[in-house]
Amino acid sequence: MAYVISDACICCGACAGECPVNAITEGDGKFVIDADTCIDCGSCANACPVDAPAEA
Ligand code: SF4
Ligand code: SF4
């Protein structure tokens, strides 16, 4: 399992700084999570102002 960031992302960057394993990087128009690195902790979802990250 991994979290996935939806198109609701506004590229604020808040989630990337909260990820303990640095799985989040800026992609094309939204931030993206590397599924192989994500440990499913939920910190990104808690940090996001628009609830873009969700469990896949
Ligand atoms: Fe990083 Fe945790 Fe979000 Fe996965 S769920 S991308 S490990 S902050
Ligand atoms: Fe996108 Fe939410 Fe991450 Fe901000 S915190 S970059 S809106 S997913």
Side-chain angles (χ1 to χ4, degrees):
M1 287 290 287
Y3 273 63
V4 173
I5 294 174
S6 77
D7 290 344
C9 175
I10 56 172
C11 294
C12 72
C15 56
E18 295 298 320
C19 181
V21 292
N22 293 320
I24 307 174
T25 55
E26 187 166 9
D28 186 14
K30 67 176 186 176
F31 275 56
V32 293
I33 294 170
D34 178 35
D36 291 332
T37 305
C38 176
I39 57 171
D40 218 17
C41 74
S43 292
C44 52
N46 290 333
C48 181
V50 295
D51 287 333
E55 280 185 284

